[in-house]
Amino acid sequence: MTSRVTAERHAPLRQQLCKILPAFLALAALFAAWEVYVRLSGISPTTLPSPSLVLSQTWQYRQALFDNALPTLRATLSGFALSLAAAFVLSILVDFFKPLRRALFPIFIISQTLPLVAIAPLIVLWFGFGLLPKILLVALVTFFPMLVALAEGYAATDREIERLLQTMGASRWMRFRLARLPSALPYFFAGLRISITYAVVGAIFAEYAGAAKGLGIYILNAKNNFRPDLVLAAVFVSSVLTLLLFGATLLIQRLVMPWAEKPPEGGQ
Amino acid sequence: MTIPRLTLDHIACRYGDLDVLEDISLTVQPGEFVSILGPSGAGKSTIFSLLTDTVKPASGTMAFDGEPLGKRQNPFAFMPQRDALMPWRKIIDNVTLGLEVQGIKRREAREQVGALIDEFGLAGFENNYPSALSGGMRQRAALLRTVVQQRKMLLLDEPFSALDALTRTRMQTWLETMWLKHRWTAMLVTHDVREAVYLSDRIYVLSPRPAKIVRTFDIPLSRPRGRDAVSRAAATEIENAILETLFDPTGGTLP
């Protein structure tokens, strides 16, 4: 009896493990193939290092990688915070004043067409080697997806709910706060997840264009020293950073939107 | 003679070039349950839009308690067709929504609805999200959200149309019981003839668009209205007369 209860409680965990298992297997197969190719072909590690070499180098240079990952993480989070605040404020303004949307959206869309390779050095040129250009570049690449997600989320509000609030005598701002804003949350988190995957890359791009410290400048130095193993080690660290941030957004979404969880079986 | 709660006098309404309502006159007395019955698309819901001030009439007058219906007063509590419960609010917070909009503090609002939660069969579900509730329970929560606003009149827009037949019948019985206890002044919009006869004191039958009132039926059946053979026989007679009117609104004189 007891064991059955435990088994049932653990069932969802096992199910979740089963769900992510294929992804793990595919990833493992990819790295295995890469490892086998490097060993059999005898290719020079200064051209293509094996995954095992990259891992061992990551471990050996962990202190340097950590020291460089911190400024990147700081730039990412600051830029993302700025972008989030700007997207939120602008989404509200745009929702309340429709002409503003028609005036500003073309500019934002154009901002997304700019090649990062060209923009990053210019921003560094204008704003120096400090934190500011990194923040701006991260904000530039993450701002628009979140703004669009919020704007679409507001527009997707159930009309009957808005009409109901209207019959209750709710003001425009009240209708926004009680109906449009919560309706937009699922859309917002979808946009947030897209944005966060760009954020670290944006920060690294800015550092690549000029920085004292950071994964971007670390990658540049490793490349110039013909150390592809260290380039890939830094890439590995940046991937882990992005995945951690991605996981954090999922966690926050669960906390902010408890109603979106599957309803428990049998009502109560 | 008492002043009617609600009076519509020769109301006409159009959306752009489309004539929706041609000539609507009706009255609702305090404590009455009145239904508006008509074919789909006849403009039944438009009458509610007029009352809740989201649409303006082209002509005619509307009065509430003898005063012209204006922006200043908001005597109606509206229950929309689908329950329109907010999925992100717990049942208790959905139910107190109207009070919150009126500026009543959350704790005070919860206290106000506390006693009714039980009466509406929602006890134990206050802290559930709507997605965990059955269709019938969701409708009860939506009705509770409507009545706790303490308005002078309820507007019910096909509240049970999305429910399965069995649940709908149960909800009608339950609604009549609740109505007998509280005697809300209520106006129901529906296309379900049996539902209208079961619940109403009076039924206004609308023609297809542009709508006018083709006939008024007073329902003299005793309350509470049973579903036994004798009660059903009396109700069926009225239902048949209404169906005839619906199928042939001109009364046999085809143009």
Side-chain angles (χ1 to χ4, degrees):
Chain A
M1 189 64 195
T2 337
S3 66
R4 232 190 79 201
V5 171
T6 343
E8 269 168 18
R9 192 185 303 150
H10 285 179
L13 184 71
R14 199 176 301 160
Q15 269 174 9
Q16 282 195 331
L17 280 180
C18 283
K19 252 192 225 164
I20 56 171
L21 192 65
F24 262 109
L25 288 178
L27 206 62
L30 192 70
F31 282 111
W34 176 0
E35 182 80 35
V36 167
Y37 173 77
V38 169
R39 291 194 180 211
L40 291 185
S41 68
I43 193 168
S44 154
T46 52
T47 307
L48 181 66
S50 68
S52 59
L53 179 67
V54 171
L55 264 186
S56 68
Q57 291 303 301
T58 306
W59 181 248
Q60 199 183 326
Y61 287 86
R62 60 187 183 276
Q63 192 57 49
L65 285 166
F66 183 78
D67 288 345
N68 283 288
L70 273 188
T72 305
L73 185 64
R74 193 186 310 135
T76 304
L77 290 180
S78 321
F80 202 67
L82 173 72
S83 157
L84 185 68
F88 185 63
V89 170
L90 253 159
S91 74
I92 295 175
L93 288 174
V94 160
D95 195 56
F96 275 75
F97 310 106
K98 293 285 182 293
L100 200 62
R101 178 185 176 127
R102 284 194 290 277
L104 293 181
F105 264 48
I107 297 176
F108 296 142
I109 292 170
I110 290 169
S111 80
Q112 297 305 293
T113 65
L114 306 177
L116 223 48
V117 202
I119 289 301
L122 285 179
I123 291 188
V124 171
L125 180 69
W126 297 331
F127 297 99
F129 290 91
L131 192 59
L132 185 62
K134 283 110 195 156
I135 290 178
L136 289 178
L137 212 66
V138 171
L140 178 74
V141 295
T142 58
F143 166 75
F144 192 63
M146 282 195 288
L147 179 67
V148 170
L150 280 169
E152 280 184 6
Y154 298 150
T157 309
D158 185 342
R159 299 190 67 133
E160 290 224 350
I161 289 180
E162 280 209 84
R163 166 133 194 258
L164 176 72
L165 282 168
Q166 221 173 333
T167 67
M168 288 172 170
S171 65
R172 179 109 190 261
W173 170 248
M174 244 175 173
R175 294 205 298 273
F176 178 83
R177 188 171 59 81
L178 292 172
R180 293 177 83 81
L181 191 59
S183 294
L185 279 178
Y187 292 79
F188 165 72
F189 278 105
L192 188 73
R193 282 200 294 278
I194 294 173
S195 279
I196 205 86
T197 56
Y198 296 158
V200 178
V201 178
I204 287 177
F205 241 112
E207 290 164 354
Y208 200 86
K213 240 178 177 187
L215 285 177
I217 202 72
Y218 189 84
I219 289 171
L220 184 66
N221 288 336
K223 190 202 74 164
N224 290 341
N225 293 327
F226 304 104
R227 291 293 302 271
D229 53 334
L230 289 182
V231 172
L232 287 174
V235 166
F236 174 68
V237 170
S238 90
S239 286
V240 169
L241 269 186
T242 301
L243 287 176
L244 286 177
L245 292 174
F246 191 85
T249 63
L250 290 179
L251 210 66
I252 293 168
Q253 181 170 15
R254 279 195 153 199
L255 291 175
V256 176
M257 297 175 49
W259 67 88
E261 307 245 336
K262 282 241 181 302
E265 297 287 321
Q268 277 285 63
Chain B
M1 199 186 141
T2 54
I3 301 167
R5 183 120 279 187
L6 176 71
T7 317
L8 300 191
D9 194 24
H10 296 297
I11 289 288
C13 180
R14 59 179 67 89
Y15 291 134
D17 290 336
L18 190 68
D19 277 320
V20 185
L21 303 177
E22 191 180 295
D23 183 11
I24 304 291
S25 296
L26 56 83
T27 53
V28 182
Q29 301 293 340
E32 255 189 331
F33 198 114
V34 169
S35 288
I36 294 174
L37 188 68
S40 295
K44 301 186 292 285
S45 298
T46 305
I47 296 177
F48 281 180
S49 301
L50 285 166
L51 294 176
T52 55
D53 206 36
T54 49
V55 173
K56 296 267 171 262
S59 62
T61 54
M62 306 185 280
F64 196 90
D65 285 344
E67 303 217 354
L69 201 57
K71 255 202 143 30
R72 219 151 35 87
Q73 48 179 353
N74 184 6
F76 303 109
F78 173 65
M79 178 172 174
Q81 205 162 8
R82 284 172 291 125
D83 53 55
L85 294 173
M86 295 176 168
W88 54 85
R89 285 184 160 233
K90 293 175 176 172
I91 289 301
I92 183 76
D93 296 324
N94 263 296
V95 165
T96 56
L97 180 68
L99 301 175
E100 200 178 311
V101 169
Q102 287 171 33
I104 294 169
K105 290 256 178 334
R106 173 177 284 211
R107 209 178 52 183
E108 205 176 311
R110 286 187 176 201
E111 264 167 35
Q112 272 189 38
V113 303
L116 284 169
I117 284 273
D118 205 16
E119 203 176 327
F120 276 64
L122 295 167
F125 288 87
E126 299 95 325
N127 290 316
N128 282 69
Y129 289 104
S131 58
L133 268 62
S134 67
M137 290 189 90
R138 292 176 63 116
Q139 288 299 333
R140 287 206 295 272
L143 184 68
L144 181 52
R145 176 189 61 198
T146 315
V147 303
V148 296
Q149 293 173 47
Q150 308 267 14
R151 305 282 189 197
K152 286 182 176 163
M153 185 167 167
L154 307 183
L155 304 177
L156 313 174
D157 190 356
E158 301 192 34
F160 308 137
S161 60
L163 300 175
D164 64 90
L166 189 63
T167 311
R168 195 185 313 154
T169 309
R170 273 203 202 115
M171 290 295 292
Q172 289 158 3
T173 313
W174 173 81
L175 179 59
E176 200 215 7
T177 315
M178 298 302 282
W179 179 81
L180 283 171
K181 194 171 163 200
H182 296 275
R183 292 282 171 174
W184 305 301
T185 309
M187 190 191 267
L188 170 77
V189 153
T190 182
H191 55 244
D192 183 338
V193 176
R194 188 177 282 194
E195 176 172 283
V197 171
Y198 185 78
L199 290 169
S200 311
D201 297 316
R202 189 167 53 262
I203 299 173
Y204 293 96
V205 179
L206 294 191
S207 69
R209 204 178 57 220
K212 47 182 184 270
I213 285 162
V214 285
R215 224 179 130 182
T216 308
F217 289 87
D218 285 304
I219 314 296
L221 306 175
S222 64
R223 303 247 189 200
R225 289 177 179 163
R227 295 201 190 264
D228 56 288
V230 181
S231 321
R232 283 297 312 144
T236 306
E237 209 173 300
I238 303 172
E239 285 164 22
N240 287 341
I242 293 176
L243 279 171
E244 248 170 65
T245 313
L246 277 172
F247 286 135
D248 187 8
T250 53
T253 54
L254 285 168

